[in-house]
Amino acid sequence: MKLLNSFLLVSLAALVGCAKPSDGDQLRFSHKLHVDNDVGCIECHTDIVPSSQVGTGKRPGHDQCVGCHDNLKDNCALCHTKPDQVRALPRHATRDLNFSHELHVEAVEGDCKKCHATMVSSREPGADRRNWTHTACMECHRDQYRAMKCEQCHQRMTEWKDKPFAVFNHDGDFMGRHGQLARGEKVVCSHCHTDDKCAECHSTLQPTVPAERFAWDVSKPHVHRGDFKTRHAMEAGLDRMRCFSCHESRQCAECHQESGVARAGAAFKHPDGWMKAGSPNHHGRDARSKIGLCAGCHDRGEKTSCIVCHRPGGTGGNPHPGREMDSSLNRERDMPCRLCHG
Amino acid sequence: MRRILAIFLAVSLVPVAATAGPVSPSVSGSTETFTTFWRELDPYAASDATKSRMPVYQYVTVRGRDLGVAGLSADVSGFGQLELLKGFAADRATGDLMYGYVRYVDPKGYVRATAGRQFVYRGAGYGVALDGATVEGFLPLNLQVQAFGGIVAERTFEGTLDRPAVGGRLAWMPRDFGHVGASYYQEWSSDQIDRQNVGADFAFRYFKEVTVDGSSTFDMVGHGVQDVDLTVSYLPFRWASIFVHYGLFDPDALLPRTSIFWVFARELHQSVGGGFDVRPFQGFTFWVNWDQYLYGSGDTGYLGKARASYQLPVTIPVTVGLEYDRMSETENGYDAVRVFGTGETGYGLRFSAEVLAYFFAHDVRSYDKVITGFGGLGYRFLHGLVLDVGAEVNRTPLVSSEVRGLAKLTWDFSFGEEGTR
């Protein structure tokens, strides 16, 4: 096993080594050296100040370098590791940002280090790009962030497929996971969505399901698509209680009443052996795992049919599942104890 | 009475505030008039006779922004329903306010106050519609505090309304690295505690690519864990992501503690799963998700989903897709296949179509499969005014075959400077 681990590690290291961007021409350039020699940023980055969009300011070219370094003209290898393989530098990724160097240079009074703090100690060109996270902008722009004014920086906020953080990633089975993400991040969701987005599906008060109201939007993964009524018992059987994340409990009873399953002699029946102790279909098994489904039809307070049998002296036996019951409840006075013990 | 008051307050604030003050207000919203027609088995007939149904729904949503004061907004959404054909649900006319609130956010976004019908999270995984007020504040040291109180707008299983509720959450949000939060929720019914939950949640993000989210709720009355959720997401590339998930849930978490039913439940169920999605080239997305369920009884179930969709590189935006689902629970299961396509021409015409089939593991009323076909057309008459018509054909155990017609008129409107999302 150790051998395998070692092999994997060595292989990985070899792969990483191969992937290192050492091929082709690289620039030999130290920002630190220039800063230490009191070269101002704008002496090289001459057109950065008037640039009003991120990535539009040109990088210093030969003209800027040769302006100070006469000896570079005929000695390419001083700066280029492979002068015969010189290539154009990749463009900065703009990520559709509204960003003006012009305004920022003014705001920091020409002190570029306020944003490019790590650049002054860098011995490479472009070495502080990794620091360009949201966090760096938040040093000054937390107010806009809190006020959810994302569009001041982000041009097409609602069109991003790959949102800035994994939590914003809406691809894949996002519908299946969004509830868990939203629990602690409702503020994050509200950057782009108002409560109507939740209510479209989650309002237990509305009469239709999204698959009906938005039937034309076939690219959305609607839960109730097609003949959901036929398979709803299966869906409820899989993720027990998931129905109640959107549906109000009375909707079970109302629908069952309308469709006849709740009337006497209706087509819907509990399985054979439902009331027979020892039967594989005995209702106790389902009650312990799907109690909400039982409650959808049978929870009627003092008129609940279950407690006809499940009460002291009844034939149904003790329903308490062995969990510790709340000792603060008064058996004779408080619900639900008083229904049986009062 | 409470509902009428909430609607009155929310709606009346829109025009009043919109006419005052130095800022430029904006009002936008939408109306949807929607009807559907179908036949289904008449449950009260002796034979397999069918009856027709034709409900009409009206949804109205209004959003107002900067209503006289910068940061003051109002959101209202409600519906009305009318059953046109008598018999099934004769003379049935209903309606309700889904949400309606007035919100103020201070110019720097440090304080946010909301009053009216709104959604709050009460723990055990679910939100609840609350008629009340919420105040959220961002404090120094990256602390966020939220407090709310009001009356729950939804009924319990036995139909109880007018349940007061209070709750809150305190969270620490260190920079952009996520958050740690603790929450509390309490609800009463007839002077007795219906629910009392404490919750904890966290999210951790590492250099944008990794997110770990987790939450748990503890029932203070029943002294048990109600739910646990843990998800780890990883974005290795801009075009791919993977995640794994664990969940635990107590089925009686949804029941108020005044219900007799919660003393019957015992079995927690757990789910473990994961998935990935890739977008290897422009317009193409493929994702897979699998969840395995383990119930307290020892039974197991699973749900697997796979989906591929592609936006065709043609002059009009057309998206086609293929889905496959496989599900198994303790008593039945299915394999499902769905093919869909949707697009929009440059002349305001849009179209959508899908065919889906569910093949059951065990017959349902002697049917081993259900097949559904849907086709729809939409036409944009003017800016914001769209008429959609559609038809759905089902081969179903409920009525052997069913043809359903749908029609919807949507109007998106806005006045003033557009400032809404």
Side-chain angles (χ1 to χ4, degrees), chain A residues 188-327:
Chain A
V188 178
C189 304
S190 65
H191 285 203
C192 302
H193 306 294
T194 52
D195 276 17
D196 53 356
K197 202 66 186 169
C198 308
E200 275 180 5
C201 301
H202 286 284
S203 175
T204 61
L205 306 165
Q206 67 174 320
T208 60
V209 294
E212 208 172 30
R213 189 176 166 194
F214 307 109
W216 292 266
D217 198 350
V218 294
S219 61
K220 289 273 171 60
H222 297 307
V223 172
H224 306 87
R225 206 179 286 283
D227 178 25
F228 184 78
K229 199 182 284 185
T230 295
R231 66 176 195 279
H232 80 284
M234 292 180 223
E235 304 281 3
L238 176 75
D239 194 348
R240 307 168 183 196
M241 309 298 114
R242 187 172 61 152
C243 312
F244 298 110
S245 67
C246 298
H247 294 287
E248 198 175 6
S249 54
R250 64 176 169 166
Q251 289 174 336
C252 304
E254 282 177 3
C255 191
H256 287 173
Q257 199 73 41
E258 282 179 16
S259 56
V261 298
R263 71 191 169 103
F268 175 82
K269 289 190 178 81
H270 290 301
D272 291 339
W274 187 249
M275 300 298 287
K276 187 177 177 184
S279 161
N281 290 331
H282 186 241
H283 68 275
R285 181 170 171 270
D286 277 352
R288 281 192 291 275
S289 59
K290 307 176 189 173
I291 193 65
L293 301 184
C294 307
C297 294
H298 294 283
D299 196 347
R300 297 287 175 271
E302 296 183 9
K303 295 176 183 172
T304 298
S305 55
C306 312
I307 55 177
V308 172
C309 299
H310 293 286
R311 66 190 309 158
T315 56
N318 181 2
H320 294 300
R323 77 169 79 218
E324 184 186 345
M325 306 307 287
D326 182 17
S327 58

Side-chain angles (χ1 to χ4, degrees), chain B residues 3-33:
Chain B
R3 182 187 303 166
I4 294 169
L5 185 64
I7 295 171
F8 174 76
L9 277 174
V11 174
S12 62
L13 269 166
V14 174
V16 168
T19 55
V23 295
S24 301
S26 66
V27 177
S28 63
S30 64
T31 70
E32 287 173 56
T33 308

Side-chain angles (χ1 to χ4, degrees), chain B residues 244-411:
Chain B
V244 291
H245 169 258
Y246 170 78
L248 178 147
F249 193 73
D250 182 350
D252 78 359
L254 291 145
L255 300 170
R257 288 300 172 253
T258 49
S259 166
I260 185 68
F261 278 78
W262 76 277
V263 304
F264 290 88
R266 175 161 60 191
E267 296 176 352
L268 301 174
H269 79 254
Q270 301 174 76
S271 63
V272 179
F276 68 89
D277 72 87
V278 291
R279 300 175 299 285
F281 53 87
Q282 184 73 29
F284 181 77
T285 301
F286 176 65
W287 60 261
V288 172
N289 187 24
W290 186 275
D291 276 303
Q292 189 77 29
Y293 291 83
L294 174 65
Y295 306 112
S297 60
D299 294 327
T300 59
Y302 58 79
L303 173 63
K305 301 178 191 175
R307 170 170 154 153
S309 65
Y310 182 47
Q311 188 171 344
L312 301 177
V314 291
T315 51
I316 59 171
V318 175
T319 302
V320 294
L322 174 67
E323 277 180 12
Y324 171 71
D325 291 0
R326 183 176 176 84
M327 188 272 263
S328 173
E329 46 104 17
T330 52
E331 288 162 20
N332 209 337
Y334 58 72
D335 291 276
V337 180
R338 186 169 81 93
V339 183
F340 67 87
T342 181
E344 187 164 353
T345 71
Y347 303 100
L349 188 68
R350 64 189 189 193
F351 54 89
S352 51
E354 69 173 352
V355 176
L356 64 157
Y358 286 84
F359 302 93
F360 300 131
H362 304 292
D363 291 0
V364 177
R365 291 190 176 196
S366 306
Y367 277 65
D368 62 352
K369 59 181 170 293
V370 167
I371 299 173
T372 301
F374 171 80
L377 284 175
Y379 183 67
R380 188 179 298 276
F381 288 99
L382 300 165
H383 179 70
L385 188 65
V386 178
L387 175 66
D388 286 297
V389 293
E392 184 178 283
V393 180
N394 281 299
R395 181 186 173 277
T396 160
L398 297 175
V399 281
S400 295
S401 63
E402 173 191 79
V403 177
R404 177 184 288 245
L406 305 98
K408 184 166 82 166
L409 186 67
T410 309
W411 179 40

